[in-house]
Amino acid sequence: MLCRLFVAYSVCHQGRSQFIISRGAITIGPITDLLGRKGALRVSSAFCVAGWLAIYFSKEAWSLDIGRLANGYGMGAFSYVVPVFIAEIAPKNLRGRLTAINQLMICCGVSVSFIIGVLVSWRALALIGLIPCAVNIFGLFFIPESPRWLAKKGRHKEFEVALQKLRGKDADVSHEAAEIQDYIETLDRLPKAKLLDLFQRRYSRSVIIGVGLMVCQQFGGINGVCFYVSDIFDQAGFSSSIGTITYAILQVVVTGIGAAVMDKAGRKPLILVSASGVVLGCLLTAVSFFLKVHELALTATPILAVTGILVYIGSFSIGMGAVPWVVMSEIFPINIKGQAGSLATLVNWFGAWLCSYTFNYLMSWSSYGTFILYAAINALAILFVILMVPETKGRTLEQIQGAINK
């Protein structure tokens, strides 16, 4: 009975979870600036450990809610600090690829969790959830802190040691270290940034780009499609089990391809190709539902629907899924990164909640109209990327931020 209650809470309180995740996202920025990137990762891991333990020992519904709250906060915090930490420690020629691997690991983790969840009880699944948390906490003892955060805090000796360790003992880091130090000194001459400072002209372009990409990612319908993919296949007359399995496999494979080509193809071309494919997928799905509603070519509608959804998720996974997080981690100067990154992450999770909350209402209004609406939003995303988003591949964070925040 408790297992069924847990499943019911997982489904019915989806919006609540995303609200909690957004709280983690908005508060982790200042924590990351205060405690460092490794400190913030430890805080996030601690919340997830507490959440899984609360779920495992649950006897009542309220303790399940506490566990979900703690896990939601931890995941919201992770969603900001992980791409920022990767971007700050990675060399410029690998930064995009390494940051995109974060999205690949998320896809793999979700898929593995679904598979394990079929084989074990939910209490056992909660205990298994502790394993990656323990690995993360233990592994943090063996990796250096972000050199850029150390430089910002004036810990120059530790900064040099961390940078040398990251680049290799034989690497010459003098030029990179000098560039980072010069940039930090320039920022230190500015007054300490507050939340309202994000709207100053100096930072407006980076904030518009970071927040705008999160709007493009979430309002194009991804969470509605993800959460209700089985229902979409059922409504279109296609096997939901076959469609969902194909969907999950395709998402992992294509996300991996996107991560592999990120630093070769560039961020901007990848997201433009991705958004164009998403528009095509939306239109194919819309045509399928239009034909079904008007009882035209009924034998073709299931094939059109599954083709449209698979084109949608494949296209989204290769660029729109990872690139906004990569660019967000690159464009904000370190003196506003906490506030700006928290704002962008909050907008992302708010968009995820809004999209999943409104999806069923939109489908009740018009199934094909829903996907036409998503196609239009993604078409606007293409225009936004063309006009506003710079190419960042092959440039240091200091070069990117200096060019954007003039």
Side-chain angles (χ1 to χ4, degrees), residues 103 107 213-223 225-226 247 250-251 254-255 258 270-271 273-279 281 308-325 348 378:
Q103 187 69 22
C107 294
L213 283 174
M214 296 305 179
V215 170
C216 294
Q217 183 193 70
Q218 290 299 334
F219 285 78
I222 183 59
N223 271 283
V225 173
C226 281
Y247 173 101
L250 181 67
Q251 185 178 33
V254 177
T255 301
L270 206 56
I271 201 169
V273 169
S274 174
S276 300
V278 170
V279 171
I309 292 299
L310 294 181
V311 167
Y312 179 101
I313 192 59
S315 300
F316 182 90
S317 298
I318 204 166
M320 287 291 286
V323 172
W325 293 104
N348 182 280
N378 283 292

Side-chain angles (χ1 to χ4, degrees), residues 78-200:
F78 272 129
S79 68
Y80 165 73
V81 70
V82 170
V84 167
F85 184 50
I86 294 172
E88 289 185 352
I89 66 175
K92 63 182 180 181
N93 61 315
L94 295 175
R95 189 177 59 243
R97 197 177 313 169
L98 292 175
T99 309
I101 285 176
N102 174 49
Q103 187 69 22
L104 174 62
M105 292 298 101
I106 291 171
C107 294
C108 291
V110 170
S111 299
V112 169
S113 297
F114 273 122
I115 294 169
I116 295 175
V118 173
L119 303 175
V120 302
S121 70
W122 63 269
R123 286 193 192 273
L125 187 62
L127 284 181
I128 292 170
L130 291 170
I131 296 174
C133 300
V135 171
N136 187 56
I137 293 171
F138 181 71
L140 286 171
F141 288 105
F142 301 97
I143 61 175
E145 179 57 90
S146 163
R148 288 173 169 85
W149 181 80
L150 291 170
K152 181 173 180 286
K153 292 297 181 180
R155 294 157 64 172
H156 301 298
K157 183 64 178 177
E158 293 173 76
F159 156 70
E160 293 172 2
V161 171
L163 188 61
Q164 190 71 64
K165 187 174 181 179
L166 287 165
R167 299 296 179 260
K169 62 180 182 179
D170 298 323
D172 181 7
V173 298
S174 56
H175 177 73
E176 184 178 5
E179 187 176 22
I180 293 171
Q181 290 279 27
D182 288 345
Y183 188 65
I184 295 295
E185 289 171 7
T186 301
L187 293 177
D188 283 343
R189 289 194 287 269
L190 299 173
K192 187 175 180 180
K194 300 180 179 63
L195 185 61
L196 291 178
D197 293 337
L198 299 182
F199 305 100
Q200 291 180 3

Side-chain angles (χ1 to χ4, degrees), residues 111 114 225-252 302-314:
S111 299
F114 273 122
V225 173
C226 281
F227 293 149
Y228 300 104
V229 65
S230 296
D231 293 339
I232 294 170
F233 286 136
D234 281 336
Q235 289 183 39
F238 190 83
S239 169
S240 60
S241 57
I242 295 174
T244 303
I245 292 170
T246 307
Y247 173 101
I249 294 172
L250 181 67
Q251 185 178 33
V252 172
I303 299 300
L304 270 176
V306 72
T307 302
I309 292 299
L310 294 181
V311 167
Y312 179 101
I313 192 59

